Amino acid sequence: MDFPNHLVNAFFSKILHEVPDAYPNDPENQYKTALEVTERYNEALDEMGLDFLQLRVVDRSSSRPHPYYGLQIHGLDSSKFDAFLDSFAETDETTLEEKYHYLHGSKYPVSEVASKSQSDSIASRKQVQEAVKARVESEKDSITKTTETLLSRIDEWRDELQTYWRRTTWQRFNTFPAVHLYLLEMESIITNIDVLADRGSIPPCYRELRKLLENLSWSVFDDLLFINAEYATIYDDSSVPPHTPPRPFSVPHKASPVSLT
């Protein structure tokens, strides 16, 4: 999945479709143009740090009665590819968005072909998935330890917030801090991340983590607004609302626009 399939797919599309369409019934110019396209792609691969991959166009005319050429993915250096994967994962020069975009671009062409495959191909893909999982076993163990630590800390945070709520004027408003309520959902998301990592599905882990951080941020923001708005108001016992409805920032994906003025 980490192989640059999007680039290979674009290369094949250009050679197999655009070049023949530009020079129909003209194999010599097709071959010449294909060589030029291949050279440009290989130069681009080098510039992008993907020098573990080299593309080739091979003349097969000598073995056939008519001019003919074939395509090859040539010179794949497995040691360079492994080094690329390690450096790509560890570097801070590439943003998380760029890394995710690369993974998605690598995976999509394979998924498109796999969706049309028969049962024997499905079995083969499962074997590949198991091999990948075995290769990253130590990383999976590290993720599991991290999620276990977070889950244990959530219980501590819940107890601390519960104590805080009882000792402050929060209880006068008949509501809990949004962060306290979100910890239940946060626990489920972290568990889901652990399951996805165990299956070797790392890109969805990024999506779950982004959702977790986004909703946690909204909960903190909601509590800050609530404190600033409600704590500034002095209630007597008769004016305390009997029930405080869910506040809009607790469900940001469903909330209607709220004026902060």
Side-chain angles (χ1 to χ4, degrees):
M1 291 302 187
D2 292 345
F3 193 78
N5 295 294
H6 55 306
L7 294 175
V8 176
N9 192 51
F11 171 71
F12 280 1
S13 177
K14 196 170 191 66
I15 296 294
L16 296 175
H17 301 290
E18 294 184 29
V19 172
D21 290 344
Y23 300 99
N25 302 317
D26 189 352
E28 291 185 3
N29 271 323
Q30 288 182 19
Y31 178 64
K32 178 181 178 181
T33 305
L35 288 175
E36 295 172 354
V37 171
T38 304
E39 183 179 359
R40 291 201 301 270
Y41 265 79
N42 283 330
E43 290 176 353
L45 288 170
D46 290 340
E47 292 174 358
M48 297 172 65
L50 308 179
D51 58 343
F52 55 81
L53 175 66
Q54 287 293 305
L55 306 168
R56 287 185 63 187
V57 174
V58 184
D59 187 359
R60 302 291 189 184
S61 300
S62 59
S63 60
R64 293 177 177 267
H66 303 289
Y68 174 83
Y69 64 88
L71 303 178
Q72 289 184 351
I73 299 178
H74 181 75
L76 177 61
D77 189 319
S78 59
S79 61
K80 284 187 176 182
F81 184 49
D82 290 342
F84 163 75
L85 294 179
D86 291 338
S87 63
F88 183 75
E90 296 171 358
T91 182
D92 294 329
E93 296 179 1
T94 304
T95 65
L96 184 60
E97 181 180 1
E98 291 170 334
K99 291 181 179 181
Y100 184 80
H101 181 75
Y102 173 83
L103 290 173
H104 179 73
S106 298
K107 180 179 179 181
Y108 182 78
V110 175
S111 301
E112 189 176 18
V113 174
S115 65
K116 304 174 184 178
S117 300
Q118 302 300 320
S119 57
D120 57 340
S121 297
I122 295 175
S124 177
R125 291 201 308 277
K126 288 184 178 179
Q127 291 179 357
V128 172
Q129 186 178 24
E130 291 301 319
V132 172
K133 287 169 61 176
R135 180 187 178 98
V136 298
E137 190 66 33
S138 60
E139 286 82 358
K140 285 171 52 187
D141 291 343
S142 177
I143 291 175
T144 299
K145 291 178 181 178
T146 301
T147 54
E148 288 176 350
T149 300
L150 285 173
L151 289 174
S152 65
R153 292 297 303 277
I154 284 178
D155 289 336
E156 296 176 11
W157 296 334
R158 188 184 296 117
D159 292 341
E160 290 174 1
L161 283 172
Q162 181 79 5
T163 301
Y164 167 77
W165 178 80
R166 289 171 178 169
R167 292 178 177 177
T168 64
T169 54
W170 268 97
Q171 55 185 324
R172 292 199 62 199
F173 304 116
N174 292 324
T175 185
F176 273 87
V179 173
H180 183 275
L181 299 175
Y182 179 65
L183 288 178
L184 293 174
E185 180 180 344
M186 185 175 172
E187 188 174 20
S188 299
I189 295 176
I190 292 175
T191 301
N192 193 34
I193 290 175
D194 193 32
V195 172
L196 290 170
D198 183 63
R199 293 179 178 177
S201 302
I202 302 304
C205 291
Y206 290 135
R207 288 197 294 269
E208 292 297 305
L209 183 59
R210 182 183 63 186
K211 179 170 64 177
L212 184 153
L213 294 175
E214 178 184 357
N215 289 343
L216 180 60
S217 299
W218 275 113
S219 298
V220 172
F221 182 52
D222 175 76
D223 283 340
L224 289 174
L225 288 180
F226 186 81
I227 289 172
N228 289 334
E230 299 294 344
Y231 276 25
T233 302
I234 298 178
Y235 287 99
D236 57 33
D237 293 337
S238 62
S239 63
V240 175
H243 174 68
T244 302
R247 303 189 297 278
F249 291 109
S250 300
V251 281
H253 58 291
K254 296 182 180 178
S256 58
V258 176
S259 173
L260 300 183
T261 58

